[in-house]
Amino acid sequence: MNKTTLEQVARKAQVSTSTVSRVVNGKNNVNEGTRRRILAILAGTDYGSREPQAAGAGNRVIGLLVPVTAENWGMQTNFIQESMQAVTDTARQSNYVTMVGAFHPELHDRVEDRMILERRFAGVLLFRTRDEDQDSRPFRDHGIPYIVVNRLLPEKPIHYIGVDHCQVSRRAAEFLLKSGYRRIGILAGDPGYISHHLYVRGFEDAHKDAGVEVDRSLMETIELNAEEGYAGTLRLFNNPRRPDALIVPSDRSAVGAMKALRELRGKV
C-alpha cells in the first residue's frame, strides 16, 4: 500500500492519514470505533482483482498478529517493539504497510478474521502464540505465508524465528553452577507455552550435566510481569531453604525480582 492509498482510506474513513498510519501500525491512541472503521475499509480495499488469487498477488499489507487470547499481554515489550520497527522499515522499502492486530484462530467476527478469510494479507508474522499448530492453522488453510516469531519449534514443520530458550537458561544455570552455587531458583512462565517449557528444560539439563539435583521448591511458575516477579522472588527467599542464586528469564519479571531483592538486601 502506498501513500496515495493511505490517503484514500483516510478520506473514506473521514480521518487523517496519520490516524490511518497509527491504526495499521498498532498504536494505542486511536478510538476503538475509529480503529474498527479503518480496519473494515482496509479489509474491503481492492488492491487487485476481486477474483480469488494467491495471497500477496495484489495485497500490500503485512500483518503483525497475536491470538486474541494473548491480546491483553499487549505488544509493548522491547523485543516485540524492535521487531515491529524492523519489519515496518523493511516493508516500507518494498512499498508494503504493516498492520498490528489480533485474530481468532477459529476466525470469528473480527476485522482481522475477515481479512484472513479474504486473503487480504500478503504475509503474517505471528507473535505470542501458545499452540503453534492451532494458532497458525488459519494461515495454512488460506494459503497466507506466515512466520512464528520468538518461538523455537525444532520438532514442528513450521517456519519460525526466535531465541533458543533452552540454551538461554542452560547457559545461565551452567554459569551459576560453575561459580559454586547449588541452590538455584528460577521464575518461569506458564509451561503451556513452549518457550517457558524450554527455559525449564535448559535449567534442568544444566543441573543434570553438573550432577546436581534440582530442588523443585525453588521453581516458581508466575505470570510474566513485574508484580509477579516481585511476589515470586519474595516467596522463594522467604523459604526456609532459600536459594543462593536466581534466574529470571523475563525482563518484566526481572524488574519486580530486583525490587524484591533490594528490599531483602540481596546482591544483584
Side-chain angles (χ1 to χ4, degrees):
M1 180 183 291
N2 57 29
K3 185 176 181 181
T4 300
T5 304
L6 280 177
E7 291 172 345
Q8 291 171 347
V9 173
R11 283 198 297 272
K12 188 176 290 188
Q14 298 183 327
V15 297
S16 67
T17 54
S18 62
T19 299
V20 177
S21 179
R22 288 198 298 273
V23 169
V24 297
N25 286 293
K27 304 300 183 183
N28 294 325
N29 54 339
V30 179
N31 175 274
E32 180 61 18
T34 300
R35 190 184 82 87
R36 291 288 176 187
R37 187 165 73 254
I38 291 170
L39 289 178
I41 292 169
L42 282 168
T45 297
D46 187 0
Y47 297 115
S49 170
R50 288 290 188 181
E51 297 303 315
Q53 57 183 345
N59 302 341
R60 312 301 295 176
V61 180
I62 302 294
L64 307 177
L65 304 180
V66 298
V68 290
T69 52
E71 189 176 18
N72 63 319
W73 285 19
M75 303 281 271
Q76 303 306 313
T77 70
N78 288 339
F79 175 85
I80 292 179
Q81 288 296 305
E82 291 287 342
S83 300
M84 291 196 303
Q85 188 60 57
V87 172
T88 299
D89 291 345
T90 303
R92 187 179 294 118
Q93 294 172 19
S94 298
N95 204 27
Y96 285 79
V97 67
T98 54
M99 189 189 96
V100 179
F103 70 100
H104 288 284
E106 301 83 10
L107 300 183
H108 294 167
D109 55 357
R110 293 182 67 100
V111 171
E112 294 89 335
D113 299 346
R114 190 160 68 252
M115 291 181 70
I116 295 169
L117 283 167
E118 296 175 359
R119 304 171 80 183
R120 294 291 176 183
F121 290 109
V124 169
L125 281 78
L126 296 177
F127 293 84
R128 298 200 181 285
T129 55
R130 180 180 182 121
D131 183 322
E132 281 71 23
D133 285 332
Q134 177 182 339
D135 291 343
S136 63
R137 187 178 304 281
F139 309 99
R140 294 199 302 276
D141 289 348
H142 293 85
I144 298 173
Y146 70 94
I147 293 176
V148 175
V149 181
N150 202 25
R151 294 288 185 260
L152 183 67
L153 311 168
E155 299 171 2
K156 304 267 188 177
I158 291 174
H159 294 292
Y160 65 89
I161 184 169
V163 174
D164 188 333
H165 301 92
C166 190
Q167 281 298 314
V168 166
S169 61
R170 181 177 188 139
R171 289 185 180 184
E174 284 176 348
F175 172 80
L176 292 172
L177 288 162
K178 289 177 181 177
S179 299
Y181 297 98
R182 289 296 178 266
R183 294 186 49 74
I184 304 172
I186 184 170
L187 298 180
D190 182 351
Y193 288 89
I194 191 167
S195 54
H196 308 321
H197 171 75
L198 291 171
Y199 280 135
V200 172
R201 182 195 295 177
F203 179 80
E204 293 174 338
D205 287 349
H207 281 75
K208 182 178 179 180
D209 290 347
V212 177
E213 186 175 352
V214 173
D215 187 337
R216 301 289 169 183
S217 71
L218 302 181
M219 301 175 68
E220 284 275 334
T221 299
I222 64 169
E223 290 290 330
L224 299 182
N225 55 48
E227 292 77 14
E228 280 285 287
Y230 174 82
T233 301
L234 290 181
R235 286 195 295 272
L236 284 176
F237 281 85
N238 285 327
N239 186 328
R241 288 172 50 79
R242 60 192 291 169
D244 54 17
L246 179 63
I247 294 174
V248 189
S250 161
D251 52 357
R252 288 176 296 171
S253 304
V255 171
M258 287 189 290
K259 179 182 177 183
L261 289 169
R262 281 197 299 269
E263 292 180 5
L264 295 166
R265 301 183 183 278
K267 181 180 179 181
V268 179

